[in-house]
Amino acid sequence: MDRCRVQCYEYPSCPEPVKAPREEVAYVTCTYRETGIDQPDFLATVDLNPCSPTYGQVIHRLPVPNLKDELHASGWSTGSTCPDNATRKWSKLVLPSLISSRIYVVDVGSQCRTPRLYKTIEPVDVFWTCNKGYLNVPRTLPNGDILIANSGDAAGHGKGGFIVLDGETFELKGNWEHESEVPPTGYDFWYQARHNVLVSSAGAVPRIAGRGFRPEDLKKGVYGRRLNVWNLSCRSLTQCFDLGEDSLPISVKFLHNPDAAAGFVACALSGVIYRIYKCEANNWAVEEVIRIPAKDVTGWILPKMPAFTVDLVISPDDKYLYLSNWFHGDIRQYELSKHCKPRLVGQVFVGGLLLRCGPVTVCRDEELKSQPEPLVVKCKRVYGGPCKLQLSLDGKRLYVTNSFYSTWDKQFYPNLVKEGSALLQIDVDTQKGGLTVNKNFLVDFGKEPNGPCLAHEIHFSTGDSTTDILA
């Protein structure tokens, strides 16, 4: 790796600004698992048009036919393999279930404000065809097929890799990777087609992590440490990077510029962000570029509370990187352009475990002088920590939910489970950097007709900053 290391990475010129209308509708996955409410999960449609009388409200709910699926990640089937954004159709949304391993395909193209269930793939088909389970992130491949990452097998033992759906019929085609190259765990992935590369992260062993976070599981191999580099066309594993014990690499994103040979990986338990880049021929290297220090605390399950960075997004112009820190409670904005390493230019707290007057006391903090205040928006106290992020195509509005995984929500944020999730909007200064909570926007999932629920993934009806990777 040392001979591949470069002193300063020259970022490619920024992509052309995305010509797309402002987001008017968001689709949010919502679950009732672990809430004590015996209702099916649903896909919420949220009105994001400021001129609409229902702005900031859930205008439609599509319940799935089964209980306790845990709708978690979601992703688009574009209906087109053409890289031209103008010809794409954001017509089908794929919803894998994290716990049941059931897959739902939702038609949002016919009526974007009132989606309907288009197809269901049952867990038994996933188990028998692929010997996979605990499904997570779906994305469209360059050939139009849908690739879905998984974390385990049917019994919940660690088993990474991917399953493939036909992009037109949504029939289950089988496993993507070769059987001899299955990683021990899996979670997220991203690819750059022009460099013929796919990078996947590690995740955790579902059977054990599903019981909650336990300190005794640390150093037992429950939480993954590998970053995997694949040959995209050959579907073969070419490199593996060991990022350290219990690093738990989760979120992976490449720069949007299709010529760029660089991306970033967020490690949840270590609080480290790595840059992965192409260094020579077809070899890739990693280097640490951000480290968020742990806090010395009392009143928590460990004497040090690590940064738990569960999501990252990159602005469509590749200028900024955003991180969500679910334990500490902050969202961070880093400038990428013209700097050898990302530079922190914005930070805002929207909850977390470190709040003043809470059960956790910070004894030593390398970054903050005092514990942050609780967040109240439109008279609602916001519980939980920032989790999934979605950025508008003009880069000016960052949306965030606060549920990570129902079992861990219940353990760390019992009030979140009791009061329900929130969808927040963070206003972004795209010129100088800076983040501000928009106090006029709140989607309160604590007021759902069937009771408070937990909200996770966010996508926009016209495409978004975590979708456009086909080129």
Side-chain angles (χ1 to χ4, degrees):
M1 187 191 308
D2 289 339
R3 62 193 178 95
C4 295
R5 190 180 181 90
V6 292
Q7 187 175 16
C8 182
Y9 176 69
E10 292 294 332
Y11 283 92
S13 58
C14 294
E16 291 294 321
V18 178
K19 297 179 180 179
R22 175 180 170 135
E23 66 283 0
E24 292 195 359
V25 170
Y27 304 113
V28 183
T29 56
C30 300
T31 185
Y32 277 110
R33 185 173 175 270
E34 297 289 0
T35 66
I37 298 174
D38 201 29
Q39 292 289 331
D41 298 349
F42 65 97
L43 182 70
T45 304
V46 177
D47 190 340
L48 297 182
N49 183 351
C51 298
S52 170
T54 55
Y55 174 59
Q57 298 177 29
V58 178
I59 57 175
H60 184 263
R61 299 165 183 86
L62 177 65
V64 295
N66 303 279
L67 298 175
K68 304 185 188 307
D69 283 311
E70 183 122 1
L71 293 185
H72 193 68
S74 61
W76 289 107
S77 169
T78 64
S80 170
T81 59
C82 178
D84 181 6
N85 215 32
T87 65
R88 290 197 198 153
K89 298 177 183 178
W90 312 108
S91 57
K92 300 292 191 304
L93 197 61
V94 180
L95 310 179
S97 301
L98 183 63
I99 298 301
S100 71
S101 303
R102 189 174 281 109
I103 304 170
Y104 299 103
V105 181
V106 175
D107 178 7
V108 300
S110 301
Q111 294 288 335
C112 70
R113 296 172 72 88
T114 56
R116 64 182 180 87
L117 187 61
Y118 179 79
K119 185 183 180 71
T120 302
I121 300 172
E122 294 296 336
V124 63
D125 297 321
V126 177
F127 298 155
W128 281 105
T129 304
C130 304
N131 191 24
K132 297 287 185 66
Y134 296 86
L135 306 181
N136 197 21
V137 176
R139 302 196 194 282
T140 302
L141 288 170
N143 67 357
D145 284 345
I146 312 299
L147 196 63
I148 304 177
N150 73 286
S151 298
D153 62 14
H157 302 292
K159 186 176 185 180
F162 313 89
I163 67 172
V164 184
L165 300 183
D166 186 282
E168 295 292 335
T169 66
F170 299 98
E171 295 294 324
L172 191 61
K173 297 178 74 171
N175 295 339
W176 181 77
E177 74 285 351
H178 304 299
E179 183 62 32
S180 61
E181 297 178 324
V182 176
T185 55
Y187 192 87
D188 190 15
F189 69 97
W190 202 264
Y191 65 81
Q192 280 285 45
R194 294 186 186 180
H195 294 279
N196 194 32
V197 67
L198 182 149
V199 175
S200 66
S201 62
V205 177
R207 181 176 57 88
I208 302 176
R211 298 183 299 210
F213 178 80
R214 302 186 304 182
E216 58 267 30
D217 289 334
L218 296 170
K219 305 186 185 305
K220 290 184 178 180
V222 173
Y223 303 107
R225 54 193 294 171
R226 272 178 46 170
L227 188 67
N228 305 298
V229 181
W230 304 79
N231 181 302
L232 181 61
S233 59
C234 296
R235 298 174 295 146
S236 59
L237 188 62
T238 58
Q239 288 178 270
C240 294
F241 296 101
D242 187 332
L243 301 183
E245 191 171 57
D246 298 320
S247 55
L248 191 55
I250 289 186
S251 187
V252 181
K253 299 291 188 300
F254 274 105
L255 295 174
H256 290 277
N257 188 325
D259 291 323
F264 296 88
V265 182
C267 294
L269 284 174
S270 66
V272 175
I273 311 302
Y274 290 92
R275 182 172 68 88
I276 181 167
Y277 60 96
K278 193 175 184 179
C279 57
E280 58 180 21
N282 292 318
N283 290 324
W284 293 75
V286 296
E287 67 170 346
E288 178 183 320
V289 292
I290 299 171
R291 177 177 290 269
I292 302 174
K295 318 287 188 183
D296 291 349
V297 297
T298 59
W300 200 58
I301 57 176
L302 290 168
K304 285 184 177 290
M305 181 186 293
F308 198 73
T309 49
V310 294
D311 199 18
L312 72 84
V313 297
I314 298 173
S315 61
D317 60 4
D318 290 338
K319 184 177 180 180
Y320 295 112
L321 178 148
Y322 301 88
L323 291 174
S324 60
N325 188 348
W326 195 61
F327 280 171
H328 294 175
D330 58 323
I331 300 171
R332 297 174 177 233
Q333 178 190 24
Y334 291 86
E335 185 182 34
L336 295 178
S337 59
K338 301 178 183 178
H339 292 278
C340 298
K341 291 188 177 181
R343 181 172 67 95
L344 182 64
V345 293
Q347 183 180 28
V348 65
F349 281 82
V350 296
L353 296 168
L354 302 176
L355 300 178
R356 190 177 65 84
C357 299
V360 176
T361 300
V362 179
C363 305
R364 181 176 178 273
D365 192 331
E366 297 180 25
E367 298 180 313
L368 302 177
K369 295 181 179 180
S370 62
Q371 295 181 230
E373 297 290 332
L375 177 65
V376 177
V377 179
K378 300 182 75 171
C379 300
K380 177 184 173 68
R381 164 74 184 274
V382 177
Y383 293 98
C387 185
K388 294 303 291 184
L389 304 173
Q390 190 56 267
L391 185 66
S392 62
L393 290 174
D394 63 6
K396 296 180 179 180
R397 292 166 301 282
L398 183 68
Y399 296 86
V400 56
T401 56
N402 50 7
S403 167
F404 170 60
Y405 166 44
S406 64
T407 303
W408 287 36
D409 294 347
K410 187 175 181 179
Q411 177 182 1
F412 291 111
Y413 295 110
N415 283 329
L416 171 65
V417 176
K418 180 181 177 182
E419 301 292 335
S421 280
L423 174 65
L424 302 173
Q425 179 185 313
I426 311 300
D427 294 331
V428 180
D429 185 336
T430 58
Q431 299 300 316
K432 299 179 181 179
L435 303 175
T436 307
V437 176
N438 187 326
K439 292 297 187 73
N440 296 315
F441 182 93
L442 172 77
V443 181
D444 186 357
F445 289 100
K447 294 182 178 179
E448 285 300 298
N450 290 324
C453 68
L454 302 171
H456 189 70
E457 187 79 273
I458 312 160
H459 280 296
F460 303 141
S461 59
T462 52
D464 41 61
S465 64
T466 61
T467 299
D468 192 15
I469 59 174
L470 293 179

